[in-house]
Amino acid sequence: MENKSLLATALVGKTHGLDGFLKVVSLSGEYDHLASLDKAEIKTREAKIIKVEVEDVLFHKEDFLMKFASFSTPEKARVLSGGVMYITRDKAPALEEGEYYIADLYGLKAEVAGKAVGVVCDTSEGSQALLLHIRMADGHIRLVPNMEPFVGVRDFEKGSIEILMPEVLE
């Protein structure tokens, strides 16, 4: 999703029961913000965007379940299974000092000694840290761990991220 006002917040799992409930797994591990949602957007496995209204939420054993209006049967709800739920920033959990959303990394100019060398175009999970996918000027993509000693200052106002070890871009 290109819209930076929306944040990926949860994965939509399999249906549960006969009333159209779906298992939902928070990407942050927090569920309070999900329990108070009234609407969201779900990007399906087929990349279709479906706007949903939350009809009901409940905790069942260790599962967090959500039911959406117009998806009142397992057959109807199944179209949402495997999707990613997006919410507006104002509905997302509050950030602590120094924290940021992964979505805020997208589009940052990667800089080495103040010179732009590429742009953060994607991320993926690494074994020790989030990996930044940096698209270089020649179109090649380099993976850089989003941690010291590889990355320094992330300046969201300026729109840049400092790469401390330029050799990882070679």
Side-chain angles (χ1 to χ4, degrees), residues 47-152:
K48 182 178 179 185
I49 305 300
I50 300 175
K51 293 183 180 196
V52 294
E53 290 183 30
V54 178
E55 188 173 295
D56 198 4
V57 297
L58 56 96
F59 289 92
H60 178 71
K61 297 182 182 174
E62 295 182 12
D63 294 325
F64 179 76
L65 306 174
M66 297 183 86
K67 181 178 179 181
F68 303 104
S70 302
F71 296 90
S72 58
T73 66
E75 295 76 22
K76 289 180 181 178
R78 198 167 286 123
V79 71
L80 304 175
S81 290
V84 177
M85 181 185 299
Y86 290 82
I87 61 173
T88 57
R89 287 177 177 265
D90 63 319
K91 300 291 185 180
L95 295 174
E96 302 275 332
E97 178 82 25
E99 289 183 329
Y100 52 87
Y101 294 112
I102 292 172
D104 295 333
L105 295 168
Y106 296 102
L108 291 181
K109 290 178 282 186
E111 295 183 347
V112 174
K115 180 181 179 221
V117 296
V119 175
V120 177
C121 63
D122 203 355
T123 61
S124 59
E125 290 294 324
S127 61
Q128 293 183 354
L130 186 72
L131 296 174
L132 303 173
H133 297 221
I134 299 178
R135 183 176 307 281
M136 306 300 289
D138 64 4
H140 287 92
I141 293 178
R142 302 289 186 251
L143 303 180
V144 177
N146 186 28
M147 61 185 274
E148 290 184 3
F150 305 101
V151 172

Side-chain angles (χ1 to χ4, degrees), residues 1-6 43 86 103 106 121:
M1 292 197 122
E2 297 293 321
N3 187 346
K4 280 197 152 199
S5 68
L6 294 176
K43 184 176 184 180
Y86 290 82
Y106 296 102
C121 63

